[in-house]
Amino acid sequence: YSIMQASDGAMWISTKSGVDRFNGQMVKNYELTTDKLYSDVSGGRNFKLFKDAHQRFYAYDNKGKLYIYNKVSDNFVLVYDLMKILGVAVVVNEIIADTYGYLWIAMDKGVYQVPAPAANEAMPLNQLPIKEKGRHLLKGLYVNHLRFVGQTLLVGSSKGVLAYLPQKETLKTILPGCAVLSSYHDAATHQLWLGTFHNGIKIIDDRTWQPIPMSITFKGIPNIPVRSMISYNGQTVLIGIDGAGVYAYDKQSKQIS
């Protein structure tokens, strides 16, 4: 479900069976413990990874459990359980970290903001003192994707794309009726690519939040879910299409292959 590389070169891979670490020679599996093993397995539990500004690794499942990796004990420790916090079952689609010490969680019930655990690696991570339960924002929206563009939080919901400014708590709809699953930001050209569920790729200007006329031809890309878009080498953008493989866009030739 996700792949990340650590500063030491090791590859971390999340699957239905937890998290694997490949150091170039061997693979180690980390089981993410739960007190509801059977219900989690039968309900299709899966895991994803992300890291924060301190380069700390997190793993989370789609049922609202968030873990942090402890280098000292070499395991993942549970730090949040959204089901216990909110009192209801949730579906977690994505979690990202900002530069101010907060984590933002995209759920089927909106967006939830919680403080990240303290950066001190020496603290006992099995007894993390969470002082705040967090804030529940944008209730009633099914949110698939989150991304910070400057100070603005881009929110990809089932009803369209929203721009949320946390400092002012203002919300603006920038692309109604378009379900967004992924994004790619080309800061040099001020282009923000949005991978949709069934409308291909849309592009907006990160300064005006207005759609940009399609100067890029995405001919050949099917109108099915665009799950991932990443920069490969500065010249090439890789586009992962659900069930249709990976496409490459060359910025110089403006060709898709």
Side-chain angles (χ1 to χ4, degrees):
Y1 289 95
S2 57
I3 302 173
M4 300 194 75
Q5 187 170 23
S7 57
D8 62 0
M11 302 301 298
W12 293 81
I13 305 162
S14 68
T15 69
K16 281 184 176 294
S17 302
V19 178
D20 292 334
R21 180 182 184 271
F22 176 58
N23 65 3
Q25 295 181 327
M26 60 181 293
V27 176
K28 179 175 180 178
N29 176 259
Y30 297 83
E31 291 186 3
L32 278 66
T33 56
T34 173
D35 55 357
K36 298 180 179 179
L37 179 61
Y38 297 107
S39 64
D40 284 341
V41 171
S42 63
R45 191 182 189 214
N46 56 65
F47 302 95
K48 293 181 182 178
L49 298 164
F50 73 97
K51 53 186 175 182
D52 62 16
H54 301 285
Q55 299 299 303
R56 295 178 301 167
F57 275 82
Y58 294 82
Y60 62 95
D61 67 16
N62 54 332
K63 297 177 178 294
K65 292 183 176 63
L66 174 63
Y67 304 77
I68 189 171
Y69 176 67
N70 187 336
K71 292 181 180 179
V72 177
S73 57
D74 189 27
N75 67 339
F76 282 89
V77 181
L78 180 67
V79 289
Y80 282 113
D81 186 340
L82 286 181
M83 185 174 177
K84 291 183 178 179
I85 293 175
L86 296 175
V88 294
V90 298
V91 175
V92 172
N93 295 312
E94 189 173 31
I95 304 180
I96 64 172
D98 64 19
T99 57
Y100 299 101
Y102 287 92
L103 307 177
W104 299 78
I105 305 171
M107 311 182 298
D108 63 331
K109 295 178 174 60
V111 175
Y112 205 77
Q113 179 203 43
V114 292
N120 185 3
E121 289 287 355
M123 71 183 299
L125 290 178
N126 60 335
Q127 297 177 345
L128 279 171
I130 302 301
K131 297 180 180 179
E132 304 176 49
K133 284 189 175 181
R135 294 195 302 157
H136 195 173
L137 310 167
L138 309 182
K139 297 179 182 180
L141 279 179
Y142 191 106
V143 180
N144 290 303
H145 179 60
L146 296 172
R147 184 192 193 104
F148 271 98
V149 181
Q151 302 295 318
T152 302
L153 179 65
L154 181 83
V155 180
S157 77
S158 58
K159 297 181 180 179
V161 183
L162 312 172
Y164 178 71
L165 195 60
Q167 290 79 3
K168 297 182 179 179
E169 296 190 355
T170 58
L171 186 67
K172 178 182 179 181
T173 301
I174 58 178
L175 202 62
C178 197
V180 166
L181 306 175
S182 59
S183 63
Y184 163 72
H185 188 207
D186 190 339
T189 61
H190 297 285
Q191 290 184 350
L192 185 60
W193 297 21
L194 303 173
T196 71
F197 189 77
H198 52 63
N199 297 113
I201 298 173
K202 304 291 185 181
I203 301 179
I204 60 176
D205 191 305
D206 67 7
R207 297 163 294 186
T208 64
W209 298 106
Q210 296 298 314
I212 296 176
M214 296 295 283
S215 59
I216 297 174
T217 301
F218 292 109
K219 185 178 180 180
I221 291 184
N223 289 331
I224 52 181
V226 180
R227 294 291 181 184
S228 178
M229 295 187 289
I230 63 169
S231 176
Y232 176 63
N233 57 10
Q235 182 65 33
T236 306
V237 180
L238 297 181
I239 305 166
I241 309 293
D242 197 341
V246 178
Y247 289 76
Y249 174 77
D250 185 275
K251 293 182 179 180
Q252 187 171 4
S253 66
K254 297 185 178 180
Q255 296 296 313
I256 291 281
S257 58

